[in-house]
mmCIF file of all heavy atoms in Angstrom:
data_model
loop_
_atom_site.group_PDB
_atom_site.id
_atom_site.type_symbol
_atom_site.label_atom_id
_atom_site.label_comp_id
_atom_site.label_asym_id
_atom_site.label_seq_id
_atom_site.Cartn_x
_atom_site.Cartn_y
_atom_site.Cartn_z
ATOM 1 N N VAL J 635 14.918 -62.247 -16.122
ATOM 2 C CA VAL J 635 15.783 -61.090 -15.893
ATOM 3 C C VAL J 635 15.064 -60.050 -15.033
ATOM 4 O O VAL J 635 15.663 -59.442 -14.137
ATOM 5 C CB VAL J 635 16.244 -60.470 -17.229
ATOM 6 C CG1 VAL J 635 17.124 -59.239 -16.977
ATOM 7 C CG2 VAL J 635 17.016 -61.495 -18.054
ATOM 8 N N SER J 636 13.783 -59.858 -15.269
ATOM 9 C CA SER J 636 13.019 -58.895 -14.475
ATOM 10 C C SER J 636 12.945 -59.313 -13.008
ATOM 11 O O SER J 636 13.109 -58.484 -12.106
ATOM 12 C CB SER J 636 11.608 -58.733 -15.040
ATOM 13 O OG SER J 636 11.643 -58.178 -16.329
ATOM 14 N N LYS J 637 12.725 -60.617 -12.757
ATOM 15 C CA LYS J 637 12.642 -61.097 -11.379
ATOM 16 C C LYS J 637 13.987 -60.938 -10.658
ATOM 17 O O LYS J 637 14.035 -60.496 -9.504
ATOM 18 C CB LYS J 637 12.203 -62.560 -11.347
ATOM 19 C CG LYS J 637 12.046 -63.115 -9.926
ATOM 20 C CD LYS J 637 11.490 -64.516 -9.940
ATOM 21 C CE LYS J 637 11.443 -65.112 -8.527
ATOM 22 N NZ LYS J 637 10.515 -64.393 -7.630
ATOM 23 N N ILE J 638 15.065 -61.293 -11.339
ATOM 24 C CA ILE J 638 16.392 -61.106 -10.734
ATOM 25 C C ILE J 638 16.643 -59.621 -10.481
ATOM 26 O O ILE J 638 17.181 -59.230 -9.448
ATOM 27 C CB ILE J 638 17.486 -61.707 -11.641
ATOM 28 C CG1 ILE J 638 17.319 -63.225 -11.732
ATOM 29 C CG2 ILE J 638 18.877 -61.367 -11.112
ATOM 30 C CD1 ILE J 638 18.253 -63.897 -12.735
ATOM 31 N N GLY J 639 16.215 -58.804 -11.420
ATOM 32 C CA GLY J 639 16.402 -57.356 -11.267
ATOM 33 C C GLY J 639 15.664 -56.791 -10.067
ATOM 34 O O GLY J 639 16.186 -55.942 -9.344
ATOM 35 N N THR J 640 14.451 -57.279 -9.837
ATOM 36 C CA THR J 640 13.704 -56.819 -8.667
ATOM 37 C C THR J 640 14.444 -57.169 -7.383
ATOM 38 O O THR J 640 14.529 -56.361 -6.455
ATOM 39 C CB THR J 640 12.299 -57.452 -8.635
ATOM 40 O OG1 THR J 640 11.618 -57.147 -9.842
ATOM 41 C CG2 THR J 640 11.486 -56.921 -7.468
ATOM 42 N N GLY J 641 14.980 -58.383 -7.332
ATOM 43 C CA GLY J 641 15.744 -58.796 -6.156
ATOM 44 C C GLY J 641 16.940 -57.908 -5.908
ATOM 45 O O GLY J 641 17.273 -57.597 -4.758
ATOM 46 N N GLU J 642 17.584 -57.472 -6.983
ATOM 47 C CA GLU J 642 18.756 -56.596 -6.843
ATOM 48 C C GLU J 642 18.370 -55.165 -6.488
ATOM 49 O O GLU J 642 19.192 -54.418 -5.945
ATOM 50 C CB GLU J 642 19.558 -56.604 -8.146
ATOM 51 C CG GLU J 642 20.222 -57.926 -8.461
ATOM 52 C CD GLU J 642 21.161 -58.373 -7.358
ATOM 53 O OE1 GLU J 642 22.213 -57.745 -7.169
ATOM 54 O OE2 GLU J 642 20.819 -59.352 -6.651
ATOM 55 N N SER J 643 17.144 -54.769 -6.777
ATOM 56 C CA SER J 643 16.724 -53.387 -6.516
ATOM 57 C C SER J 643 16.177 -53.178 -5.108
ATOM 58 O O SER J 643 16.046 -52.053 -4.649
ATOM 59 C CB SER J 643 15.648 -52.980 -7.520
ATOM 60 O OG SER J 643 14.402 -53.596 -7.221
ATOM 61 N N LYS J 644 15.851 -54.276 -4.414
ATOM 62 C CA LYS J 644 15.230 -54.170 -3.090
ATOM 63 C C LYS J 644 16.188 -53.567 -2.073
ATOM 64 O O LYS J 644 17.398 -53.749 -2.176
ATOM 65 C CB LYS J 644 14.792 -55.562 -2.610
ATOM 66 C CG LYS J 644 13.516 -56.069 -3.248
ATOM 67 C CD LYS J 644 13.255 -57.505 -2.819
ATOM 68 C CE LYS J 644 11.864 -57.912 -3.188
ATOM 69 N NZ LYS J 644 10.853 -57.480 -2.262
ATOM 70 N N PRO J 645 15.579 -52.941 -1.024
ATOM 71 C CA PRO J 645 14.145 -52.659 -0.835
ATOM 72 C C PRO J 645 13.724 -51.343 -1.489
ATOM 73 O O PRO J 645 14.508 -50.414 -1.619
ATOM 74 C CB PRO J 645 14.015 -52.558 0.689
ATOM 75 C CG PRO J 645 15.343 -52.038 1.134
ATOM 76 C CD PRO J 645 16.371 -52.604 0.173
ATOM 77 N N VAL J 646 12.466 -51.283 -1.851
ATOM 78 C CA VAL J 646 11.822 -50.097 -2.422
ATOM 79 C C VAL J 646 12.676 -49.512 -3.538
ATOM 80 O O VAL J 646 13.017 -48.327 -3.532
ATOM 81 C CB VAL J 646 11.545 -49.013 -1.352
ATOM 82 C CG1 VAL J 646 10.478 -48.042 -1.868
ATOM 83 C CG2 VAL J 646 11.083 -49.636 -0.053
ATOM 84 N N GLY J 647 13.024 -50.349 -4.506
ATOM 85 C CA GLY J 647 13.870 -49.887 -5.595
ATOM 86 C C GLY J 647 13.277 -50.184 -6.955
ATOM 87 O O GLY J 647 12.198 -50.766 -7.071
ATOM 88 N N SER J 648 14.003 -49.794 -7.995
ATOM 89 C CA SER J 648 13.547 -50.039 -9.357
ATOM 90 C C SER J 648 14.761 -50.134 -10.275
ATOM 91 O O SER J 648 15.788 -49.503 -10.036
ATOM 92 C CB SER J 648 12.611 -48.923 -9.832
ATOM 93 O OG SER J 648 13.280 -47.673 -9.816
#
Side-chain angles (χ1 to χ4, degrees):
V635 179
S636 296
K637 182 175 175 65
I638 295 173
T640 303
E642 292 302 291
S643 74
K644 283 174 167 278
V646 199
S648 60

